[in-house]
Amino acid sequence: MMNLNMSLAITTLMVWITTVLPSYVASQVTATTSATALSLEQEAKAILQSGWWSSYSNDTLQRCNWTGISCNDAGSVIEINPPSDVIKVGDKFKNMDFSSFPNLVFLSLNRHELNGTTEDFVINISSLSRLTHINLFSNYLYGRLSPRLGNFTRLEYLDFSSNQINGSIPVEIGKLKNLVTLDLSDNKLFGSIPSTLGKLTNLETLYLFCNSLNGSIPSTLGDLTNLEILYLSYNYLDGSIPSTLGKLTKLQSIQLTANLIQGSIPKEIGDLEALTSLQLSQNLLSGPIPHQIGNCFKLKLLNLSNNNLQGLIPNQISNISSLDRVDLRNNDFSGVVPYNFLEAMYHHPNISCYRIDAEIFGGHKNLATYSCSPVKKSYNLQIFLPLASFVALFLLGCLLLLWRHKVKVNPTSVLQATKNGDPFSMWNYDGKIAYEDIIAATNDFDVRYCIGTGGYGSVYRAQLPSGKVVALKKLHRLEAEEPAFDRSFRNEIKFLTEVRHRNIVKLHGYCLHKRCMFLIYEYMERGSLFFMLSDDVQAVELDWAKRVNIINSTAYALSYLHFECTPIIVHRDISSNNILLNSDLEAFVSDFGTARIIDPDSSNQTRIVGTYGYVAPELAYTMVVTEKCDVYSFGVLALETLAGKHPAEILSLLSAPSSLQNMMLIDVLDPRLSPPTSQLVAQNIVHVATIAFACLQADPKLRPTMKHVSQMFLSCQRSLSNPLRTISLLQLVNCGMHMEGSCQAPK
């Protein structure tokens, strides 16, 4: 009986499989296909009704190929990012039925002149549960920020910056647990910062600057352990800086400028080992600078000006060797300025030792002047500095007078050596390098010690008896007999004995004699930037952060030459061959053989010099050298550093920028490095590329100055509104053409 029942069951199952199941499956497939087709038809209808794409096509089947529209494999729209320079959505966006895009993930309508309330917008997109990216930067949205935003729990990027939004920040924002970037800057928001923001534990960038926010900074922000950027400047925040910020070990930049913040700077700031920028100026801070700030070894920018800070400037601040900008003006410091700090400032970029008072210590009662000879640690500056300054200036005047008459009288600085009865004069700043030491260290310039060739001589590595390693550039006898080489050699001596900057290679000394001429430089262990970029293994060592830093450092050095030197010095041969790297892969500008002083009373006409591929185009027809020639070369160098090779193809297309529309930035970056995963690194790359294109404008009058460039590197940068993969070179060119005080990354 059991066998009979089993046979019947098997027979019934086989009949169902062969007859019923195919019909059921077919009906389901048909239903699914119909639903998909209906959905795609709705999407197409919504796009056409909006009128956005009339300038492209009325063929809905081609919509996935339109610029600004991306679809999934099924043909459903997942990204809407229309180019604002081609299409202005404006009021048409009200016609869009966003419910027709159930699979939409990425929505970017920045700079589209949208006009309406944020509440209406959020209601319109309320059904889009898959959204991860909302960007409405720079429109005309107004009204309060809708609490309904808290329902979009998949959001990773939210940008409503540069609108007219008012009211308070809704506490519901704290529900967006996946948020990586929140940008509400440049609006009319008021009220306090909600403590619920501390729940956004994936947040990396928080921009709330340029609003009317008040109240204190919530201590819960200390729970944002992934935070890299915190910009709260230009509000009405009061209270104190919460000590909990010391827990944010990934924090790289803090900007609290222009608020009403009181109390002292918390000592926990010293726990922020990744910090590169600390800007607390224009507040009501009091008390001393905590000595723990000396633990922020990566700090580049420190601005504590215009506060009520008191007490001593801590010695530990001189431990921060990376400092590029320091401003402590308009405070009430007392006591002795640390000797080590003054000495360190002398070597800092873009700070002239004769202007330290004006640039840094404007409010220091006991610091009237400061000369290039640092004061001794044990003396009170109020008594010692006026006398020291007078003596230093007097001695400096005497030395300049002696130098003009070519009188060499300092036995520790001018060393005499004899070889075959001929006198050799060698200038040496510290009196510790003797001619005989150089000859012994190189075995009389044996080829075994030669490490390369420069523009007009061979370069040797020499280890002195003290253990110090130096580089020697030697002009060979035949080259010395050529007037052009001799002139370049003496030109380099002239400039490098007069300039002193952290990112310009240091000249230790030189020897001048018709039979033996050489320069003694600071030794750069890693060689030239060109050499490292040409080697696949070493190029990988230059990660994105190091490359950005190399470009920044070069900009600071050129700004110094153009604006801090009197008269102006133009390098004229900025290229990757002339950017040298030390053991820490820090950049130094070298090779001043073709440098030239700009005379405002002269035509400054010149022959074309420099490296092919870096020379500014106007030199070919004007033959007039200006500092804008260096700016162009810097732009080429910046792109080369990002691309890993000379950007010849890109340069050739700049005369017809429209051809760059389909060239994406991600595709021209050095393929030997992985694409950046950090939001901050990607932001820096875009910022550098934008500045580079600004420097490459054909009309030199439209290029920024190097001082402007160096300021832009320190300016407040907005976060990237679009993924790196979506940014074209044309966007960067357009942004570079309209750079003002600080061109923001393309949005």
Side-chain angles (χ1 to χ4, degrees):
M1 185 62 129
M2 182 176 297
N3 291 337
L4 179 60
N5 290 338
M6 183 174 294
S7 299
L8 288 173
I10 292 173
T11 301
T12 302
L13 178 62
M14 293 299 295
V15 171
W16 188 86
I17 290 174
T18 57
T19 59
V20 179
L21 181 59
S23 301
Y24 174 78
V25 170
S27 65
Q28 294 300 310
V29 169
T30 301
T32 301
T33 303
S34 299
T36 302
L38 182 61
S39 174
L40 298 181
E41 183 180 346
Q42 289 175 336
E43 291 181 1
K45 183 179 179 181
I47 291 176
L48 290 179
Q49 284 179 343
S50 70
W52 296 6
W53 308 99
S54 58
S55 60
Y56 283 94
S57 170
N58 285 328
D59 183 0
T60 60
L61 297 177
Q62 296 297 318
R63 68 187 185 283
C64 293
N65 295 324
W66 294 343
T67 301
I69 289 286
S70 296
C71 300
N72 59 18
D73 293 339
S76 180
V77 175
I78 59 173
E79 179 176 322
I80 296 177
N81 182 21
S84 60
D85 54 341
V86 178
I87 302 171
K88 289 293 183 186
V89 176
D91 290 335
K92 298 174 185 176
F93 117 99
K94 297 177 182 177
N95 300 327
M96 175 64 74
D97 180 10
F98 283 99
S99 63
S100 300
F101 304 100
N103 297 310
L104 195 65
V105 174
F106 187 103
L107 177 61
S108 179
L109 299 175
N110 63 80
R111 303 180 193 272
H112 275 284
E113 301 178 1
L114 305 184
N115 191 350
T117 68
T118 60
E119 186 71 40
D120 290 341
F121 170 76
V122 172
I123 291 174
N124 200 351
I125 66 170
S126 59
S127 63
L128 306 183
S129 60
R130 298 171 182 252
L131 273 179
T132 64
H133 188 113
I134 297 177
N135 174 26
L136 300 182
F137 159 71
S138 192
N139 283 292
Y140 301 109
L141 299 175
Y142 57 90
R144 67 168 187 159
L145 202 59
S146 175
R148 297 171 185 259
L149 284 169
N151 297 330
F152 296 92
T153 54
R154 292 191 181 186
L155 272 184
E156 298 175 5
Y157 187 99
L158 179 61
D159 187 349
F160 278 90
S161 62
S162 297
N163 281 281
Q164 302 295 319
I165 301 171
N166 55 27
S168 59
I169 300 174
V171 296
E172 288 80 3
I173 294 291
K175 296 179 181 180
L176 306 180
K177 301 293 181 63
N178 292 308
L179 209 58
V180 174
T181 294
L182 175 61
D183 192 346
L184 305 178
S185 61
D186 195 14
N187 278 289
K188 298 180 179 180
L189 295 170
F190 54 81
S192 59
I193 300 174
S195 60
T196 53
L197 292 189
K199 297 179 180 180
L200 307 179
T201 53
N202 288 308
L203 203 64
E204 294 180 3
T205 53
L206 177 58
Y207 299 106
L208 301 178
F209 59 90
C210 294
N211 280 289
S212 297
L213 298 170
N214 53 34
S216 58
I217 301 172
S219 61
T220 54
L221 294 189
D223 297 329
L224 305 178
T225 53
N226 287 302
L227 197 65
E228 296 179 357
I229 300 177
L230 177 62
Y231 288 174
L232 306 179
S233 299
Y234 298 97
N235 282 288
Y236 297 98
L237 299 173
D238 53 26
S240 59
I241 301 174
S243 60
T244 53
L245 295 185
K247 298 190 296 182
L248 306 181
T249 56
K250 295 182 180 180
L251 198 59
Q252 298 180 27
S253 183
I254 302 177
Q255 286 196 14
L256 306 181
T257 301
N259 280 287
L260 302 172
I261 300 172
Q262 306 170 21
S264 59
I265 302 173
K267 66 180 187 302
E268 286 79 8
I269 289 291
D271 296 332
L272 304 178
E273 295 182 356
L275 197 64
T276 60
S277 175
L278 177 60
Q279 301 190 55
L280 308 179
S281 63
Q282 302 179 54
N283 279 287
L284 303 173
L285 293 169
S286 58
I289 300 175
H291 67 82
Q292 289 86 354
I293 201 169
N295 296 329
C296 301
F297 297 116
K298 295 183 179 180
L299 198 62
K300 293 185 176 182
L301 173 59
L302 175 64
N303 191 344
L304 306 180
S305 64
N306 297 290
N307 279 287
N308 298 318
L309 296 170
Q310 303 122 12
L312 304 176
I313 298 173
N315 282 313
Q316 290 81 357
I317 202 170
S318 59
N319 296 337
I320 312 174
S321 60
S322 58
L323 273 174
D324 286 337
R325 297 287 190 281
V326 182
D327 196 341
L328 306 180
R329 291 175 293 177
N330 299 326
N331 282 288
D332 195 22
F333 297 121
S334 59
V336 178
V337 178
Y339 165 73
N340 289 338
F341 186 40
L342 291 178
E343 187 176 40
M345 286 300 97
Y346 175 60
H347 298 288
H348 282 173
N350 303 299
I351 298 177
S352 170
C353 56
Y354 292 108
R355 301 194 311 132
I356 280 187
D357 174 59
E359 293 293 325
I360 301 177
F361 299 107
H364 195 290
K365 296 177 178 178
N366 297 329
L367 187 61
T369 58
Y370 171 63
S371 73
C372 281
S373 298
V375 299
K376 295 298 182 181
K377 186 184 300 185
S378 59
Y379 290 94
N380 187 292
L381 298 182
Q382 188 172 11
I383 300 173
F384 180 78
L385 274 178
L387 178 60
S389 301
F390 174 80
V391 172
L393 290 173
F394 176 78
L395 292 176
L396 182 61
C398 293
L399 287 174
L400 289 175
L401 184 62
L402 291 173
W403 176 264
R404 173 172 291 184
H405 290 83
K406 299 183 179 180
V407 178
K408 300 180 174 65
V409 297
N410 186 346
T412 64
S413 296
V414 182
L415 306 180
Q416 299 293 331
T418 301
K419 182 179 182 182
N420 298 328
D422 293 328
F424 286 75
S425 297
M426 187 171 76
W427 178 270
N428 174 22
Y429 294 127
D430 55 20
K432 296 177 182 176
I433 304 176
Y435 174 80
E436 291 85 353
D437 293 337
I438 297 296
I439 297 301
T442 59
N443 194 17
D444 200 6
F445 296 101
D446 189 282
V447 68
R448 291 175 298 171
Y449 297 93
C450 184
I451 57 175
T453 56
Y456 49 86
S458 297
V459 182
Y460 298 81
R461 180 185 184 276
Q463 184 170 2
L464 303 177
S466 63
K468 184 180 185 65
V469 177
V470 295
L472 306 170
K473 182 187 286 187
K474 184 177 183 294
L475 189 64
H476 302 306
R477 183 178 302 176
L478 291 178
E479 294 168 337
E481 294 173 357
E482 287 288 335
F485 285 120
D486 181 76
R487 185 165 52 249
S488 293
F489 187 87
R490 295 176 185 274
N491 201 46
E492 185 152 14
I493 293 173
K494 171 182 173 59
F495 286 114
L496 288 181
T497 53
E498 295 175 355
V499 302
R500 193 172 183 87
H501 186 278
R502 179 182 174 184
N503 296 114
I504 293 178
V505 68
K506 183 179 179 181
L507 181 67
H508 290 305
Y510 60 84
C511 177
L512 282 178
H513 188 273
K514 63 181 180 180
R515 287 170 52 189
C516 188
M517 302 174 69
F518 59 84
L519 306 177
I520 309 172
Y521 292 105
E522 181 180 5
Y523 181 65
M524 297 292 161
E525 292 85 351
R526 304 308 298 270
S528 70
L529 174 61
F530 174 81
F531 175 77
M532 287 207 68
L533 292 177
S534 301
D535 185 274
D536 289 344
V537 175
Q538 296 194 66
V540 176
E541 288 188 63
L542 290 175
D543 59 30
W544 295 122
K546 290 186 177 68
R547 295 190 188 205
V548 169
N549 190 55
I550 287 170
I551 296 167
N552 290 359
S553 298
T554 305
Y556 298 148
L558 290 176
S559 177
Y560 166 83
L561 292 173
H562 293 179
F563 289 91
E564 302 298 328
C565 294
T566 305
I568 294 171
I569 297 175
V570 178
H571 187 282
R572 297 208 295 171
D573 195 12
I574 293 298
S575 70
S576 56
N577 266 314
N578 291 333
I579 304 299
L580 303 183
L581 306 176
N582 66 7
S583 58
D584 296 323
L585 297 177
E586 296 174 319
F588 296 80
V589 177
S590 71
D591 207 334
F592 282 73
T594 60
R596 176 165 176 165
I597 288 176
I598 295 298
D599 184 354
D601 299 323
S602 169
S603 65
N604 293 308
Q605 284 196 323
T606 180
R607 61 187 176 88
I608 297 180
V609 297
T611 302
Y612 178 77
Y614 299 85
V615 178
E618 67 270 14
L619 274 177
Y621 54 86
T622 67
M623 304 296 286
V624 176
V625 62
T626 70
E627 61 269 31
K628 293 299 184 72
C629 298
D630 279 354
V631 175
Y632 182 89
S633 301
F634 170 80
V636 179
L637 176 76
L639 284 187
E640 179 181 5
T641 306
L642 294 180
K645 61 180 181 180
H646 188 276
E649 180 184 0
I650 297 174
L651 297 179
S652 66
L653 297 175
L654 284 179
S655 57
S658 59
S659 59
L660 300 173
Q661 172 66 52
N662 297 320
M663 291 185 68
M664 311 309 291
L665 175 60
I666 192 71
D667 294 329
V668 301
L669 295 179
D670 194 336
R672 295 170 295 186
L673 295 184
S674 300
T677 56
S678 164
Q679 169 77 8
L680 181 60
V681 173
Q683 175 180 312
N684 286 336
I685 290 174
V686 172
H687 193 53
V688 167
T690 305
I691 292 173
F693 281 115
C695 296
L696 291 172
Q697 297 187 78
D699 187 347
K701 295 179 181 178
L702 299 179
R703 296 172 201 153
T705 65
M706 288 311 304
K707 186 172 186 178
H708 189 184
V709 169
S710 64
Q711 289 171 343
M712 285 189 286
F713 279 125
L714 294 171
S715 67
C716 173
Q717 301 176 38
R718 295 186 185 277
S719 59
L720 288 180
S721 58
N722 300 333
L724 192 60
R725 60 180 172 81
T726 67
I727 297 174
S728 71
L729 297 190
L730 181 60
Q731 285 178 279
L732 300 176
V733 169
N734 290 337
C735 185
M737 291 174 61
H738 298 92
M739 271 193 165
E740 294 179 356
S742 171
C743 183
Q744 308 296 348
K747 287 205 169 199

